[in-house]
Amino acid sequence: MFFLTLKAVIPIHFHYMTYRLQRFRLESNSSIHKHLISKITATGPISVAEYMREALTNPVAGYYVKNDMLGAGGDFITSPEISQIFGELLGVWCVSEWMAAGKSNTFQLVELGPGRGSLASDILRVFSQLKTVLGETDISVHLVEVSPKLSQFQAECLTGDNTQPNDGDQPVYRSGTTRTGLPISWYRRIEDIPRGFSVFLAHEFFDAIPIHKFQRTEKGWREVMVDIDPESPGKLRFVVSHSPTLASSILIQKDENRQHVEVCPEGGVIVQKLANRIAEDGGAALIVDYGHDGTKTDTFRGFKGHQLHNVLEAPGMADLTADVDISYLRKMTGNEVTCLGPITQRSFLKNMGIDSRLQVLLRNCHDPSTRAQLIHSYDMLINPEKMGHRFQFFSLLNRGRLAQYRGMQKNTAPLPVAGFAELDMQ
Ligand code: SAH
């Protein structure tokens, strides 16, 4: 699997330029490209956020709407697709947080952007194994997925396609029963999920949410826009807007000291909704992505066929992504929840016992190629040079969750939250 690309890693590809030129000739006439050229011709340059939204989630031709982008035949690979251990450890985390929060009678597992459904599938296997712990709890599964195509993959993976698509524009657009016997529903928006104690998971979800880009200029902050290249009218290019836009007036922090900034206001709104639900209904959220703490500048990039791809070429045919500004997400939660992290994927998985889990799997596996695969995927997940340090775990918890710890321990004991505790837990 060495040839597979992680979106967090920017590969240096020897034939990059040749590749870009070829792809442009092949795919520059994507329907979204034509649509955007007409739109910009009619009304002027568009924001990077609008460009990204159209390219990724346009209801007819958006990248996520019509592609299966994950895995060897796709454009990038993610942790849940690399190893079952990843999902299993996150499953243990979900149950551990449900227990620590007082074993609510109802338990909603909510995943945002579930891709092929591999993470939820591994988690549900853990739930089955921990049946005696979960007892009579009323567990249900809720998936927020914008892509009809991916929702079909998820249905197949999680239910064996034991689902019914619902009519028209209903908030629940598909529902059924998982292979493990739990009710499962699909939504386009978080607000349509029923209220109640929930554990929310978002793995490589926030990096796909549209960002605005801003450039510091002599005249102050200006928004970076997408325009038609006057030298080559079929091509798009970045321009800096002449005057402030609404976004540049409201999204830049007063104490900002970078020269170039990316802000994801839609991601901020989503995290506010999660925080609000966790505060009112109980539960937790685990956000996993390649991120930074308000320090990075220009991270917007594209991927196609496991290669870097020019973001302005063939929109809708390639993945577009930007590193997640975790400091911004933290700010947007307000004071409603307790935030933990970010902590690296390596530390989180080590704290969750990945080494012991690997040993158990190896002990029960005698096929040399499967053993090699297990060790290789373990290394992909935790090696600091691979995914170990690039991916960050960030959690939102109900404020009651750590109240006792704060009052009594004076922070001398390890945090009583699985994955975020010191390594000496193992
Ligand atoms: N979590 C999976 C997939 C990551 S790809 C994994 O790690 O393997 C991003 C996922 O988010 C896809 O399922 C995509 O269809 C979904 N997605 C992207 N933008 C979305 C949006 N605005 N609303 C809901 N889902 C979205």
Side-chain angles (χ1 to χ4, degrees):
M1 280 221 265
F2 278 110
F3 63 98
L4 298 178
T5 302
L6 319 170
K7 286 198 285 174
V9 184
I10 302 197
I12 299 163
H13 191 252
F14 191 60
H15 298 298
Y16 180 42
M17 286 310 293
T18 328
Y19 174 84
R20 279 177 45 188
L21 292 172
Q22 281 170 354
R23 292 234 83 100
F24 181 66
R25 275 200 292 277
L26 286 172
E27 292 162 354
S28 60
N29 289 330
S30 75
S31 59
I32 294 186
H33 182 91
K34 287 185 197 148
H35 163 67
L36 292 175
I37 293 273
S38 328
K39 180 160 193 182
I40 296 169
T41 306
T43 58
I46 56 172
S47 67
V48 172
E50 184 173 354
Y51 176 80
M52 200 172 163
R53 188 173 304 110
E54 285 288 339
L56 293 184
T57 58
N58 176 291
V60 180
Y63 174 74
Y64 280 115
V65 173
K66 61 178 185 13
N67 282 292
D68 172 25
M69 65 293 300
L70 288 150
D75 297 319
F76 56 91
I77 183 83
T78 62
S79 294
E81 301 290 329
I82 286 174
S83 169
Q84 66 179 78
I85 303 182
F86 186 83
E88 289 170 353
L89 296 178
L90 265 61
V92 172
W93 189 87
C94 294
V95 175
S96 148
E97 275 312 298
W98 166 79
M99 290 173 73
K103 300 189 179 178
S104 162
N105 294 334
T106 59
F107 179 179
Q108 300 192 146
L109 174 70
V110 182
E111 189 180 352
L112 313 182
R116 282 187 175 175
S118 309
L119 176 60
S121 166
D122 292 333
I123 290 176
L124 292 180
R125 198 172 55 252
V126 169
F127 283 14
S128 291
Q129 282 159 359
L130 295 178
K131 221 174 351 203
T132 49
V133 177
L134 290 161
E136 296 302 304
T137 313
D138 178 8
I139 305 176
S140 52
V141 184
H142 305 264
L143 304 181
V144 179
E145 175 55 75
V146 78
S147 162
K149 177 148 184 168
L150 286 177
S151 82
Q152 269 171 21
F153 277 111
Q154 294 151 16
E156 177 54 41
C157 170
L158 298 168
T159 73
D161 212 12
N162 182 10
T163 61
Q164 301 79 42
N166 296 337
D167 293 338
D169 289 335
Q170 287 189 41
V172 180
Y173 67 86
R174 182 189 284 275
S175 51
T177 306
T178 67
R179 291 178 197 269
T180 56
L182 302 176
I184 181 166
S185 311
W186 277 260
Y187 314 79
R188 292 179 194 85
R189 307 172 326 148
I190 293 166
E191 44 273 44
D192 293 328
I193 301 167
R195 301 297 299 234
F197 180 95
S198 305
V199 175
F200 298 92
L201 299 173
H203 184 267
E204 289 214 34
F205 170 77
F206 280 94
D207 71 276
I209 305 300
I211 50 147
H212 287 264
K213 279 173 95 63
F214 304 103
Q215 179 68 42
R216 191 194 290 276
T217 72
E218 281 171 3
K219 291 182 269 168
W221 283 99
R222 293 289 184 268
E223 184 159 7
V224 176
M225 312 290 280
V226 177
D227 197 3
I228 297 167
D229 186 346
E231 306 279 302
S232 172
K235 277 183 89 171
L236 297 169
R237 63 165 187 170
F238 288 118
V239 292
V240 176
S241 87
H242 294 300
S243 42
T245 57
L246 180 62
S248 68
S249 319
I250 60 176
L251 291 176
I252 300 286
Q253 307 293 322
K254 288 208 168 52
D255 55 356
E256 182 57 64
N257 53 24
R258 286 170 286 176
Q259 297 298 311
H260 187 97
V261 173
E262 296 171 342
V263 185
C264 181
E266 216 178 292
V269 170
I270 292 170
V271 97
Q272 267 174 347
K273 286 179 187 159
L274 300 186
N276 184 261
R277 281 181 174 239
I278 291 167
E280 289 184 4
D281 307 333
L286 194 58
I287 295 169
V288 188
D289 231 305
Y290 33 90
H292 61 94
D293 238 351
T295 47
K296 287 199 180 172
T297 56
D298 185 9
T299 72
F300 186 39
R301 58 198 184 277
F303 283 95
K304 176 141 191 68
H306 297 272
Q307 306 290 338
L308 264 178
H309 178 90
N310 183 330
V311 288
L312 293 182
E313 286 178 5
M317 314 288 278
D319 184 38
L320 299 180
T321 175
D323 283 16
V324 177
D325 181 347
I326 294 173
S327 67
Y328 177 72
L329 296 188
R330 191 188 295 113
K331 206 170 287 163
M332 295 306 282
T333 63
N335 254 342
E336 287 202 283
V337 287
T338 300
C339 296
L340 288 189
I343 176 173
T344 64
Q345 172 155 309
R346 178 186 171 84
S347 299
F348 184 91
L349 295 180
K350 287 246 176 199
N351 287 343
M352 290 299 301
I354 190 169
D355 293 309
S356 325
R357 181 67 189 137
L358 176 70
Q359 291 313 320
V360 170
L361 289 175
L362 287 175
R363 216 174 296 138
N364 295 316
C365 170
H366 303 291
D367 170 46
S369 79
T370 314
R371 287 175 68 85
Q373 174 59 31
L374 280 169
I375 293 166
H376 173 65
S377 54
Y378 162 88
D379 182 62
M380 286 279 275
L381 293 182
I382 65 150
N383 188 326
E385 302 294 318
K386 297 176 182 168
M387 301 173 105
H389 278 183
R390 290 172 205 273
F391 280 82
Q392 307 289 325
F393 280 64
F394 176 60
S395 176
L396 317 182
L397 300 176
N398 181 284
R399 289 190 72 81
R401 171 73 176 83
L402 294 180
Q404 221 182 358
Y405 165 79
R406 291 236 161 79
M408 294 166 57
Q409 312 278 353
K410 296 275 179 239
N411 295 342
T412 49
L415 262 178
V417 180
F420 290 89
E422 295 293 322
L423 285 174
D424 62 6
M425 261 185 65
Q426 289 183 53

